[in-house]
């Protein structure tokens, strides 16, 4: 294909006679988006190929021109993928860069591409295509993380940990039950993402700047060619809707709430004070000063990255809240927010999965904690209730006993004969044997509770839902 270096590209501001002078450098640098929207190029090219093809089909441009345009666009994409194409600031954004490069490749016919199109419907389309792609990739990464949690629940089966409320040991639960709680949370994130993907699957192309165009275009045909299953209902909404980005950021924020809670838990559990888990060396760092330190950096940053994600949600909500219809340049602020969140999640999801898959659970250590933490107190009171003691009185008696045991550094296995007679009558010493953590866990048999057979059933359901049979 011959290249036309002789004429300056049509898209150059210098060639628009509306303006008497070139754009101020600082103002160009301030308004240009090519520094960050360059990643949209493959989607922009895809959209332009569909648009040019439709223009020719409808007789709006000639078949021959469309063919040269499409060839040129394919060359641009090849060069981009080979790293041979450089963004030019003076062309402002990725859309004008594509048109500019196309002009350099095929000459003035490049100027036909933008017939019956505005950058407003163009950028909206690019974002839909990009987000659909990213959403599908993120969904796979999320599925992998869910699978890792299910495998953990399987391999850690039988380990009893103290369950907490107020971060005080409350009642023992199976560690597998704990992992499956995260599987449930991430399962909702997965469901929300899938529902969102259905809404993103919608084409704004053809809305033009805001009102539609006077050309006999075929928006349904371009939507179909691009693999988008429906069209916007209203052209004003098509160019100014950023709900799909707000929803994505809100979705990501809730996901990050879940991962941040998990990260926080692992930071605690890997501390010397807890010692429930040991991070794999591959997921820990040392201290530059203190030679003994092994820090759970990955877990900390999984927690810490939530800040920027929440921040971007609030940022874009604020950008959008006062905008009259339809497009405004304010909306260009959507990109860095959304791209940063996409990149953040591509970082967080795989590394969280790796950290969890390689985590070592310190069963012995947990066993010493779960036996001595008074988390059997409710069940001890329940034993009294079974012998006719009113619950409130049982609650008081056990509370007093715990106070005494704690003050002298003892557990329920070291109750004195006198305490037994004074506080626990009519219970006998052998009744106390029923307070073993495993027995307490086994007694909680509701379908969603922590008894081993229920957790086994939950595990089977999770494996079936996430395709992990065998
Ligand atoms: N760079 C712009 C954006 O990201 C593209 C749309 C520009 N449209 C316009 N009328 N200035 O939103």
């Amino acid at each position: 294909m011959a290249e036309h270096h002789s004429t300056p590209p049509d898209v150059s501001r210098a060639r628009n006679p509306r303006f008497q002078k070139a754009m101020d450098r600082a103002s160009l640098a301030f308004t240009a988006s090519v520094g960050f929207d360059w990643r949209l190029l493959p989607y922009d090219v895809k959209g332009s190929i569909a648009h040019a093809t439709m223009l020719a089909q409808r007789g709006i441009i000639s078949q021959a021109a469309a063919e040269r345009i499409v060839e040129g666009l394919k060359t641009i994409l090849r060069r981009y993928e080979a790293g041979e194409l450089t963004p030019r600031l003076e062309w402002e954004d990725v859309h004008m860069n594509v048109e500019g490069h196309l002009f350099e490749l095929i000459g003035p016919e490049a100027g036909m591409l933008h017939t019956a199109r505005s950058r407003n419907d163009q950028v909206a389309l690019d974002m839909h295509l990009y987000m659909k792609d990213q959403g599908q990739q993120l969904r796979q990464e999320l599925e992998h993380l869910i699978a890792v949690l299910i495998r953990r629940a399987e391999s850690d089966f039988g380990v009893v940990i103290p369950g907490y409320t107020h971060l005080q040991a409350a009642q023992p639960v199976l560690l597998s039950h704990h992992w499956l709680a995260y599987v449930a949370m991430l399962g909702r994130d997965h469901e929300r993402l899938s529902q969102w993907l259905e809404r993103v699957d919608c084409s704004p192309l053809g809305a033009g700047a805001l009102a539609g165009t006077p050309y006999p275009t075929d928006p349904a045909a371009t939507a179909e060619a691009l693999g988008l299953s429906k069209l916007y209902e209203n052209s004003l909404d098509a160019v100014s809707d950023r709900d799909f980005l707000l929803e994505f950021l809100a979705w990501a924020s809730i996901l990050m709430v879940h991962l941040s809670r998990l990260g926080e838990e692992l930071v605690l559990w890997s501390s010397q004070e807890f010692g429930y888990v040991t991070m794999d060396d591959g997921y820990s760092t040392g201290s530059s000063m203190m030679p003994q330190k092994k820090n759970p950096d990955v877990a900390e940053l999984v927690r810490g990255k939530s800040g920027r994600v929440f921040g971007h949600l609030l940022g874009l909500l604020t950008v959008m809240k006062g905008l009259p219809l339809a497009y405004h340049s304010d909306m260009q602020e959507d990109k860095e927010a959304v791209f940063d969140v996409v990149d953040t999640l591509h970082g967080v999801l795989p590394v969280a999965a790796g950290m969890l898959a390689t985590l070592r659970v310190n069963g012995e250590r947990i066993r010493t904690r779960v036996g001595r933490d008074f988390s059997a107190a409710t069940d001890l009171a329940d034993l009294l209730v079974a012998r006719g003691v009113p619950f409130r009185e049982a609650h008081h008696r056990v509370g007093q006993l715990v106070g005494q045991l704690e003050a002298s550094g003892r557990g329920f296995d070291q109750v004195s004969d006198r305490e037994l007679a004074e506080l626990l009558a009519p219970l006998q010493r052998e009744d106390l044997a029923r307070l073993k953590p495993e027995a307490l866990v086994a007694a909680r048999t509701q379908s969603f509770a922590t008894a081993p057979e229920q957790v086994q059933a939950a595990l089977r359901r999770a494996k079936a839902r996430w395709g992990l049979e065998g």
Side-chain angles (χ1 to χ4, degrees), residues 44 51 95-96 99 113-126 204-213 239 327:
D44 199 73
H51 184 65
H95 325 293
M96 299 307 251
E99 200 177 316
L113 172 60
H114 211 52
T115 314
R117 188 176 66 172
S118 155
R119 275 185 294 167
N120 297 351
D121 56 344
Q122 187 177 0
V123 73
L125 173 71
D126 291 3
L205 188 62
L210 75 166
T213 64
V239 291
Y327 179 85

Side-chain angles (χ1 to χ4, degrees), residues 33 37 93 95 119-120 123 242 327 329 331-332 335:
S33 58
D37 63 17
D93 56 25
H95 325 293
R119 275 185 294 167
N120 297 351
V123 73
R242 295 297 181 270
Y327 179 85
S329 289
M331 292 175 185
Q332 181 170 291
K335 287 173 200 64

Side-chain angles (χ1 to χ4, degrees), residues 60-75:
I60 300 167
I61 65 173
S62 74
Q63 194 62 45
E67 273 164 26
R68 280 187 289 273
I69 288 170
V70 169
E71 269 317 298
L73 290 168
K74 286 180 179 167
T75 303

Side-chain angles (χ1 to χ4, degrees), residues 236-264:
L236 291 167
D237 185 42
V239 291
S240 65
D241 170 37
R242 295 297 181 270
D243 290 3
F244 67 109
L245 302 179
L246 292 171
E247 270 193 78
F248 173 75
L249 297 175
W251 167 79
S253 294
I254 297 175
L255 169 65
M256 286 306 292
V257 168
H258 296 153
L259 298 180
S260 181
R261 295 177 75 176
L262 179 60
E264 166 69 5

Side-chain angles (χ1 to χ4, degrees), residues 176-463:
S176 302
H177 196 48
H178 192 96
W179 295 136
L180 287 176
Y182 283 99
V183 170
M185 291 147 86
L186 299 182
R188 287 194 297 274
D189 292 321
H190 188 277
E191 193 176 285
R192 273 188 283 272
L193 181 60
S194 296
Q195 291 162 347
W196 170 85
L197 275 165
E198 284 175 29
R199 282 189 290 279
V200 175
D201 190 16
C202 184
S203 178
L205 188 62
L210 75 166
T213 64
Y215 296 92
T217 60
D218 189 354
T222 45
E224 198 190 328
L226 291 165
L228 297 173
S229 69
K230 54 191 170 296
L231 272 181
Y232 269 85
E233 289 280 326
N234 179 296
S235 64
L236 291 167
D237 185 42
V239 291
S240 65
D241 170 37
R242 295 297 181 270
D243 290 3
F244 67 109
L245 302 179
L246 292 171
E247 270 193 78
F248 173 75
L249 297 175
W251 167 79
S253 294
I254 297 175
L255 169 65
M256 286 306 292
V257 168
H258 296 153
L259 298 180
S260 181
R261 295 177 75 176
L262 179 60
E264 166 69 5
E265 223 153 56
L266 294 176
V267 168
L268 282 172
W269 287 9
S270 63
S271 68
Q272 258 120 46
E273 285 71 13
F274 276 79
Y276 293 180
V277 297
T278 305
M279 293 284 177
D280 185 78
D281 282 357
Y283 292 84
S284 316
T285 61
S287 155
S288 60
M289 183 188 190
M290 299 166 282
Q292 86 284 11
K293 291 294 288 294
K294 182 174 163 185
N295 297 330
D297 284 62
V298 171
E300 290 169 68
L301 281 167
V302 166
R303 180 181 63 190
K305 296 276 182 194
S306 58
R308 65 202 296 155
V309 175
F310 304 165
H312 287 310
L313 170 62
L314 213 60
L316 189 59
L317 283 169
T318 311
V319 165
M320 294 305 296
K321 75 169 270 294
L323 297 183
L325 297 180
Y327 179 85
H328 299 265
S329 289
D330 308 49
M331 292 175 185
Q332 181 170 291
E333 287 291 305
D334 59 1
K335 287 173 200 64
E336 285 161 293
V338 164
F339 295 163
D340 185 56
V341 170
V342 165
D343 294 345
T344 297
L345 292 184
H346 282 315
V348 165
L349 290 167
V351 89
M355 170 180 66
L356 281 161
T358 55
L359 196 70
R360 207 173 69 234
V361 170
N362 303 323
E364 297 283 283
R365 162 83 176 175
I366 296 175
R367 194 70 191 78
T368 63
R369 297 295 295 265
V370 78
R372 292 203 70 83
D373 65 5
F374 301 113
S375 58
T378 317
D379 294 72
L380 180 53
D382 288 340
L383 287 179
L384 287 168
V385 169
R387 299 298 188 80
V389 179
F391 178 76
R392 192 50 61 206
E393 184 189 328
H395 184 274
H396 276 62
R397 284 161 62 173
V398 174
Q400 187 178 340
L401 176 65
V402 168
Q404 291 172 200
L405 293 171
E406 198 174 46
S408 52
R410 292 172 296 147
F412 283 137
D413 51 345
Q414 292 164 289
V415 172
S416 69
D417 291 339
R418 203 171 138 192
E419 285 162 333
L420 195 59
E422 281 179 2
L423 293 169
L424 298 181
L427 297 182
Q428 304 294 310
R429 188 162 294 282
E430 56 269 24
D431 290 317
L432 295 181
R434 290 160 63 190
L435 298 179
K436 284 206 179 346
E438 287 74 12
L440 306 186
V441 163
R444 289 162 164 79
T445 57
Q446 292 79 12
S447 64
F448 48 36
T450 195
E453 70 272 18
Q454 296 299 353
V455 176
Q456 278 292 5
L459 198 46
R460 277 196 300 276
R461 285 194 301 273
K463 285 169 72 177

Side-chain angles (χ1 to χ4, degrees), residues 99-117:
E99 200 177 316
H101 283 293
L102 186 64
F103 189 96
E104 289 191 346
L105 278 174
I106 70 166
E109 264 180 343
M112 295 180 178
L113 172 60
H114 211 52
T115 314
R117 188 176 66 172

